[in-house]
Amino acid sequence: MSTLRNLSKRYGMNMNRLPHFYKKMFEQLSAQSQLPALRPDAKEAPEDERFKSYKEWQVAVGDRVLITKGKYRGTITKVVGLHESTNRLYLEHSETRKIVVPKQFWQKNQDSHVIDYPKTVHPKDVKVVGTITDEVSGEDSDIAAHALVFKGEYWDEDYKKMMPYRRIRYNEHIIIPWPRPDIVEEDAFSTPELHTVERTYTPMTIASNEMPEGVIQSLRDPIAKRPYKWGKKQLINLKFLKLNQKKSKKFHLMFWNLLVLKLLII
């Protein structure tokens, strides 16, 4: 798969390099070739502008958010998905649009071609909701963060990586925790966690490289466009043996004689 991915990057068309009028033309052609049910309801963002970290998204799947725009303004709902190509969110309760779905894409218990499909929502149109506990009464209450700041990091055992602290701006002592990801059930083909983190090799020193000289060059592809041990100079200097013209003529005569004899026998 990595080879195919590299080939697509090398020989595929990079839309970001094209002028804006060419990009618009190709986007229209792509939209016309797609089924209406598969077209996104928002314009796709360029690859260099797509959100890649939680700091850019500011929300995660499972977060409770307050809708601040549209038909469901003032409703507290839940984030159920991230649409990475458009930098938008799928919410549990949001506006919908009617689309026609071909029968081969029907879901279980679906009995109609026309369904209500949820619209995506921009992250700016929602506010993250957190819960605080009153120290006197002990009651829990929901608060919506007008703006968030990220200060400090901690190791999250569920996400298995460093996660930033989400704090409410101007009230940075209030931290809104990240939602817990869904538990992945292991099956017979799963690799135990202890085996994945087991270290099977430890270098003796970092001062010198233990690999022999030239081992990396010997593993490279000879057709690749990079320095390689079989360069043009080495190939030109090699002495190739030329075929003897007399021997080649004798070989052709013997071949034709045998062919004629075979035809006569038949």
Side-chain angles (χ1 to χ4, degrees), residues 186 190-197:
E186 297 184 358
S190 300
T191 303
E193 183 180 355
L194 294 176
H195 292 178
T196 59
V197 299

Side-chain angles (χ1 to χ4, degrees), residues 71-225:
K71 179 180 178 181
Y72 293 95
R73 180 180 179 181
T75 304
I76 296 177
T77 183
K78 185 179 179 181
V79 178
V80 295
L82 307 176
H83 199 255
E84 297 180 356
S85 61
T86 58
N87 292 341
R88 297 171 75 89
L89 311 172
Y90 282 111
L91 303 180
E92 192 173 15
H93 298 287
S94 63
E95 298 183 22
T96 59
R97 59 190 177 102
K98 292 187 179 296
I99 61 173
V100 179
V101 181
K103 197 164 186 177
Q104 58 266 31
F105 296 108
W106 281 19
Q107 301 296 321
K108 189 177 180 180
N109 299 327
Q110 184 175 341
D111 56 359
S112 175
H113 288 274
V114 182
I115 63 171
D116 292 327
Y117 195 79
K119 292 183 179 180
T120 55
V121 180
H122 198 277
K124 292 183 179 179
D125 297 335
V126 297
K127 304 294 182 185
V128 181
V129 175
T131 303
I132 59 173
T133 304
D134 191 353
E135 297 179 356
V136 179
S137 61
E139 296 181 354
D140 294 337
S141 57
D142 294 333
I143 56 170
H146 179 70
L148 296 173
V149 292
F150 297 90
K151 288 186 178 180
E153 291 183 340
Y154 71 99
W155 172 259
D156 196 302
E157 189 63 29
D158 294 333
Y159 285 94
K160 302 297 181 184
K161 61 180 178 181
M162 299 296 293
M163 297 291 290
Y165 285 108
R166 286 192 300 185
R167 305 174 185 270
I168 299 178
R169 182 175 291 180
Y170 308 123
N171 292 279
E172 297 180 6
H173 63 282
I174 302 177
I175 298 175
I176 299 179
W178 294 98
R180 296 299 88 197
D182 296 334
I183 299 175
V184 180
E185 297 182 358
E186 297 184 358
D187 55 10
F189 299 99
S190 300
T191 303
E193 183 180 355
L194 294 176
H195 292 178
T196 59
V197 299
E198 182 182 0
R199 190 167 187 173
T200 58
Y201 173 75
T202 303
M204 299 299 294
T205 176
I206 61 173
S208 61
N209 191 358
E210 298 181 2
M211 292 189 298
E213 295 183 2
V215 66
I216 297 178
Q217 296 291 338
S218 64
L219 297 175
R220 288 182 174 173
D221 186 2
I223 307 177
K225 293 184 177 180

